[in-house]
Amino acid sequence: GYTYLGDFFRGDLTDTATIIGADGSIYVGQLRGGKLNGKGTFITSNYVYVGQFVDGRKNGFGVMRCADGHTYAGEIKDGESDGQGCSWHTNGDIACGTFITNNLNGKASYIYSQSGTFHRYDGEFKDGARNGQGTFIWRNGHTYTGNYSNNMRNGFGRLDYRNGTLQEGQWKDDKFLGP
């Protein structure tokens, strides 16, 4: 169900070729052992991937740009964001850090571009949500440093307002409980 444009050597596909799938997908790149292996470009109606392949799967370093404009550059494992990388979202948000199966996990930086106002979080993530220690900086200069759970301030933390006011103590679901 595909068209192969390239040469054969001793009954095997050559080192580089163009393969057009029955679904209209296009691969241009290296082959080894009759599989996509090495550097290549894979184009579908949903995304364009430029990067490394191992045994026919996207593995290694690569850049993937989806039809909706979402872009990821970094380590890829079995076709998913997995390892160190950066993700540019269609709403303008940017995330850089450690990804595990397409979600931020571990230390990362995330810039939120809510309607052109940029806020930044540097800290720990679990399954794509702020969890653990981190610092959130609002565009207006307010800064919170402390614990997060499920994207909310939970546990001990300190909120420094730009005017010098300070709230330090326990937080629950983004609400300050007191010292």
Side-chain angles (χ1 to χ4, degrees):
Y2 64 88
T3 302
Y4 171 78
L5 304 171
D7 293 323
F8 287 90
F9 181 73
R10 294 187 183 156
D12 204 0
L13 307 176
T14 59
D15 186 42
T16 58
T18 300
I19 299 172
I20 303 170
D23 61 357
S25 62
I26 300 170
Y27 173 78
V28 178
Q30 297 177 312
L31 303 170
R32 271 187 233 106
K35 293 184 179 178
L36 314 182
N37 275 297
K39 295 178 184 175
T41 300
F42 191 75
I43 303 167
T44 73
S45 60
N46 295 323
Y47 65 88
V48 174
Y49 171 78
V50 178
Q52 297 171 316
F53 290 82
V54 176
D55 292 331
R57 300 185 62 92
K58 295 176 218 59
N59 277 296
F61 183 85
V63 176
M64 186 175 296
R65 181 166 176 93
C66 298
D68 67 1
H70 178 258
T71 302
Y72 172 81
E75 294 176 281
I76 306 275
K77 182 178 177 189
D78 295 328
E80 296 185 332
S81 309
D82 204 305
Q84 294 298 305
C86 289
S87 182
W88 293 265
H89 301 272
T90 56
N91 67 357
D93 290 0
I94 302 169
C96 292
T98 303
F99 289 81
I100 298 175
T101 54
N102 294 328
N103 285 311
L104 282 172
N105 278 282
K107 293 193 176 200
S109 292
Y110 198 107
I111 298 173
Y112 301 86
S113 75
Q114 301 165 346
S115 303
T117 61
F118 294 97
H119 310 296
R120 180 181 177 136
Y121 173 78
D122 294 305
E124 297 175 273
F125 283 83
K126 183 177 179 193
D127 298 327
R130 294 185 303 269
N131 276 290
Q133 283 292 116
T135 299
F136 195 100
I137 304 167
W138 286 265
R139 181 176 183 241
N140 62 11
H142 302 333
T143 302
Y144 171 83
T145 301
N147 290 311
Y148 279 87
S149 178
N150 298 316
N151 277 333
M152 291 187 273
R153 294 169 283 190
N154 278 295
F156 185 81
R158 175 184 170 139
L159 178 60
D160 290 293
Y161 291 93
R162 192 177 71 186
N163 67 5
T165 304
L166 169 69
Q167 284 182 312
E168 185 173 36
Q170 293 298 316
W171 295 78
K172 175 83 171 139
D173 297 334
D174 270 345
K175 292 182 177 67
F176 184 64
L177 301 178

